Amino acid sequence: MLSQQHISPQTPTGATLQPGGATFRVWAPQASAVYLHGRFGAQSFDQLTDDRLLKKDNRGYWTGYQDGARDGDRYRFWVEGAGSRGYKRDPYARELDPENFPNCFAILRARDGFPWHDQGFTTPEFSDMIVYQLHVGTFAIRRPGIASNFLDVALKIPYLADLGINVLQPLPVDEQEAHPNMGYSGADLFSPDFPYVAVENLPFYLAEINALYNARGQSPIALADIASGPGQLKVLVDLCHINGVAVVFDVVYNHAGGFSVAGQFDDSCLYYLDRRVNGGNNNDSLYFTDQDRGTGGLAFALWNADVSKFLVDNARYYLEELHADGFRYDEISTLISTGQGSGWEFCRALTSNLRGFRNRILQNAEFWAGRFSDIPATALPVVAPAAAGGMGFDVVQHDALRSALRGAVGAASGGANAGVPMSAIAAALYPPGFDHGWRAVTCVENHDLVLAGRDPRLPVLADASNHRSWYARSRSRVASAILLTAPGIPQIFMGQEFCEDRPWDVDPRGPNLLSWAALDDPSDTTRRDHLRFTRDLVRLRRDLPALRSDNVHAFYQSDKDRVIAYHRWREGTGDDVIVVASFSETTWTGYEIGFPSRGFWKERFNSDVYDHWINPLVAGNSGGTVAEGRALHGFAASAAIVIPANSVVVFTRS
């Protein structure tokens, strides 16, 4: 039966299991009636009678308690308003039933009960982070033409842990109306996307997953733990954590819906949830406004406290129930535009609320300074503390180093006599204006950039005529090596680690899928060599604290020779690193470079050795060099070194 038992002002919005039943709460302030229908236990309820009517409070929330409701039951709301009447999905639904979507039921799911193993996990320090970005549907395809799911990705965690990354950042995972998709057009923000939820072969997945738990000395889970979409997503996070990998979710709070008109919202979603008269003014649509700054969907009505609370509740759901370690917030640039009302205040409230939940979660804003005339031309207010009037984000996506590196790779592809702007790389090594280098999330590839039809992958940019040539391989290594030895939080896009040359696409049936098979092809060493290169480079960054510090000084650059040298160090520790990079097609010998002190400097890394591993023709410094020459480049000593063509060499004092 439906009653007001267990209902109070603290009743959570959405559906919440209680002893013996569940509470339901939905916001529909202009509705004249809201009924709870569904299949609870062995009974179905679809009557428009008083005993199915929820009770409305003075804030426009409708509530009720369903006796006998349990995990896995189906429910939905019948809403009557001045403009229409019909079913609406719960905007807070933790899972949706794919049957008859979008005119479907929500699935009642417990908020707890998963047997977590990650109690000892701590989110890495921001300066230590190395991010791996992937698209769930195309990252780990096991069956041709079928999108990979959360469990498929979970089975790849040992690969990611061995690569050395410590932050996994999947593209948005919430339900989308179009399939396949990139993830930026959703409206059901709590429910996982249907293609990402495994419905077949669950015993197989369970055995494989429990083998991963066993390998880490952890207890097994049961089939029931992976029977639901939220359960499978929790397994993915849990396995990441016990393998030392944080999970940062990509969320879209700047808009909802597709990259077209509002008509893409179906009649059962949160659009006009209280069924007011739709007179063509989206300001009447409850959750949205008529403002848009290029997102294609509709902007949330952030001036409304209940709308803002919906988004904050969504973020807290990821943190509390899915054990997330932070967020990448899509296009804050559009969200804080004055055309969208109180975006600035919303950002401040959001970051402050979540920071109080946990001391160290990553709050990463995609903010492009100066994109619109009415937003700041600098990212500094974005990362300024909320208490000081800023928005309170920790870091921002940053394209200065990306643009410089891709520009250099593209210029180098013009041939031996082309000018390559090494000085531009020098100017971009430290993100300008920030108090810490880790405020910038840097990359050379990402989902927006190398999507099919946009910009090329690194090896294609390096040599458009032959993506497997020495030019393609070596220039790709130089760009990645500079990325991973510069300040910032480096981000790797899926496939970049093994020199993927195909663009990426959202379609699991298309031609642009990751070349996993090439890693096992004995006739194709390029992928394996580059994977080894990336793995060793990631370990180098983690082994040398100076590479994770704020300190960098590009003390030498020559556009003519295509050479740059920079110093990384930690204050007062004697921990000094010299990085020398070259886009020259010629190996430089006897090239004088300044060093901070006299004595032996060990060659800790040489990217040339990874070409046809182990490269029998490697050019290098025989394990190191002795700095004892004249003062040079502002340092007390210098050495004449070998700089292999299209390579990076790294020297340390020991």
Side-chain angles (χ1 to χ4, degrees):
M1 294 296 295
L2 199 60
S3 70
Q4 288 297 301
Q5 187 179 0
H6 298 293
I7 301 297
S8 74
Q10 288 73 45
T11 297
T13 309
T16 307
L17 285 167
Q18 303 284 349
T23 60
F24 295 84
R25 187 171 187 252
V26 61
W27 183 50
Q30 298 296 321
S32 58
V34 178
Y35 297 88
L36 175 66
H37 288 171
R39 305 167 190 161
F40 302 107
Q43 291 184 281
S44 293
F45 300 91
D46 60 2
Q47 307 91 350
L48 298 178
T49 53
D50 287 348
D51 62 338
R52 303 310 307 161
L53 184 65
L54 298 174
K55 181 178 180 181
K56 185 179 182 181
D57 67 17
N58 58 9
R59 293 182 53 212
Y61 285 85
W62 299 76
T63 58
Y65 172 78
Q66 174 65 50
D67 185 54
R70 60 193 181 190
D71 185 84
D73 283 347
R74 270 60 171 166
Y75 72 97
R76 55 185 173 175
F77 301 113
W78 177 275
V79 181
E80 298 184 355
S84 64
R85 62 205 305 261
Y87 283 115
K88 287 288 186 179
R89 302 190 297 274
D90 179 6
Y92 280 76
R94 280 157 176 74
E95 189 169 23
L96 297 175
D97 189 336
E99 184 178 355
N100 298 322
F101 181 83
N103 303 313
C104 65
F105 287 94
I107 304 176
L108 183 60
R109 290 300 182 199
R111 301 189 178 201
D112 52 20
F114 182 80
W116 291 97
H117 302 75
D118 65 348
Q119 292 80 5
F121 179 75
T122 301
T123 308
E125 297 282 352
F126 298 153
S127 60
D128 293 341
M129 288 181 168
I130 300 175
V131 178
Y132 190 94
Q133 186 187 43
L134 61 78
H135 177 254
V136 170
T138 55
F139 175 68
I141 292 175
R142 295 180 56 251
R143 294 178 294 167
I146 306 298
S148 50
N149 55 55
F150 297 131
L151 300 183
D152 292 322
V153 175
L155 298 184
K156 284 281 190 182
I157 292 171
Y159 166 86
L160 295 173
D162 183 62
L163 180 62
I165 61 97
N166 56 10
V167 178
L168 178 66
Q169 182 183 292
L171 272 64
V173 299
D174 52 291
E175 174 54 37
Q176 311 284 305
E177 299 228 357
H179 297 114
N181 64 78
M182 194 188 292
Y184 295 93
S185 305
D188 297 278
L189 301 189
F190 289 76
S191 179
D193 206 5
F194 297 137
Y196 300 165
V197 179
V199 295
E200 299 176 348
N201 301 319
L202 291 185
F204 160 79
Y205 283 115
L206 181 66
E208 296 293 310
I209 286 166
N210 278 333
L212 297 183
Y213 277 121
N214 182 64
R216 305 299 298 180
Q218 301 292 336
S219 58
I221 62 174
L223 192 62
D225 297 320
I226 60 169
S228 70
Q232 293 178 21
L233 193 48
K234 290 174 183 178
V235 165
L236 173 58
V237 176
D238 196 35
L239 283 169
C240 278
H241 284 173
I242 66 171
N243 281 275
V245 178
V247 182
V248 170
F249 285 99
D250 198 333
V251 291
V252 185
Y253 296 158
N254 57 52
H255 76 282
F259 289 84
S260 59
V261 296
Q264 185 163 343
F265 288 112
D266 68 87
D267 187 61
S268 297
C269 77
L270 75 176
Y271 184 60
Y272 279 90
L273 192 139
D274 53 5
R275 297 195 173 276
R276 293 182 66 177
V277 175
N278 186 347
N281 181 356
N282 282 315
N283 289 309
D284 296 332
S285 64
L286 188 60
Y287 277 92
F288 306 108
T289 77
D290 62 356
Q291 299 297 313
D292 173 54
R293 296 303 296 268
T295 59
L298 290 181
F300 285 103
L302 298 175
W303 54 267
N304 189 310
D306 294 285
V307 174
S308 292
K309 183 179 183 299
F310 168 67
L311 299 177
V312 173
D313 285 349
N314 179 248
R316 292 189 68 92
Y317 160 71
Y318 276 99
L319 294 175
E320 294 170 352
E321 297 185 33
L322 300 181
H323 288 203
D325 302 288
F327 302 97
R328 180 234 184 230
Y329 298 101
D330 184 58
E331 269 288 27
I332 296 300
S333 321
T334 61
L335 192 150
I336 67 168
S337 165
T338 56
Q340 294 197 26
S342 304
W344 189 287
E345 290 77 11
F346 166 74
C347 288
R348 190 178 298 161
L350 172 70
T351 58
S352 299
N353 184 299
L354 303 186
R355 199 169 309 285
F357 172 77
R358 192 182 301 167
N359 288 333
R360 190 164 71 229
I361 61 169
L362 182 71
Q363 302 204 65
N364 172 12
E366 184 191 16
F367 173 85
W368 302 116
R371 178 177 177 186
F372 304 114
S373 60
D374 52 5
I375 66 172
T378 172
L380 294 180
V382 179
V383 297
M391 280 182 273
F393 295 101
D394 300 304
V395 304
V396 293
Q397 301 288 143
H398 208 273
D399 62 355
L401 185 59
R402 180 186 84 195
S403 298
L405 288 173
R406 291 183 67 88
V409 172
S413 70
N417 296 321
V420 178
M422 307 304 288
S423 52
I425 298 175
L429 283 175
Y430 188 93
F434 289 111
D435 57 345
H436 294 290
W438 52 256
R439 294 285 190 193
V441 178
T442 58
C443 70
V444 287
E445 293 186 351
N446 64 33
H447 71 289
D448 276 327
L449 200 66
V450 300
L451 182 67
R454 297 183 182 175
D455 291 343
R457 289 271 204 166
L458 274 179
V460 182
L461 180 64
D463 186 352
S465 65
N466 183 351
H467 310 164
R468 301 292 190 90
S469 71
W470 171 76
Y471 299 102
R473 301 190 305 268
S474 59
R475 290 168 184 156
S476 297
R477 288 193 295 266
V478 174
S480 291
I482 294 176
L483 173 73
L484 282 159
T485 56
I489 298 177
Q491 175 182 295
I492 298 170
F493 184 63
M494 62 178 192
Q496 179 186 336
E497 72 274 18
F498 54 76
C499 209
E500 179 62 76
D501 58 335
R502 297 173 183 170
W504 88 277
D505 198 346
V506 300
D507 190 353
R509 301 159 298 182
N512 297 314
L513 302 179
L514 291 175
S515 304
W516 290 113
L519 288 175
D520 299 320
D521 183 353
S523 66
D524 182 359
T525 62
T526 297
R527 309 290 189 190
R528 292 196 302 278
D529 290 348
H530 201 89
L531 178 60
R532 183 190 296 270
F533 155 80
T534 306
R535 185 189 300 121
D536 288 353
L537 187 57
V538 168
R539 280 167 172 70
L540 183 77
R541 183 179 180 92
R542 297 182 71 169
D543 288 346
L544 300 180
L547 294 182
R548 307 191 303 275
S549 75
D550 288 336
N551 300 319
V552 63
H553 173 47
F555 59 86
Y556 176 79
Q557 60 268 339
S558 170
D559 291 353
K560 175 177 175 293
D561 292 344
R562 302 184 176 185
V563 171
I564 182 173
Y566 48 96
H567 180 207
R568 304 297 313 278
W569 73 97
R570 289 191 301 159
E571 296 287 357
T573 64
D575 184 4
D576 293 278
V577 178
I578 296 295
V579 181
V580 184
S582 170
F583 277 110
S584 173
E585 296 177 17
T586 300
T587 291
W588 300 109
T589 60
Y591 205 100
E592 281 197 289
I593 292 292
F595 280 83
S597 62
R598 295 179 179 274
F600 181 74
W601 286 77
K602 182 178 181 180
E603 187 180 69
R604 284 290 299 268
F605 188 84
N606 182 338
S607 65
D608 192 41
V609 75
Y610 295 92
D611 205 64
H612 301 301
W613 173 269
I614 298 174
N615 186 356
L617 302 176
V618 62
N621 294 275
S622 300
T625 188
V626 177
E628 57 185 4
R630 63 190 174 94
L632 189 64
H633 302 145
F635 290 129
S638 61
I641 66 171
V642 175
I643 309 174
N646 281 347
S647 291
V648 172
V649 287
V650 178
F651 297 93
T652 62
R653 295 181 65 172
S654 59

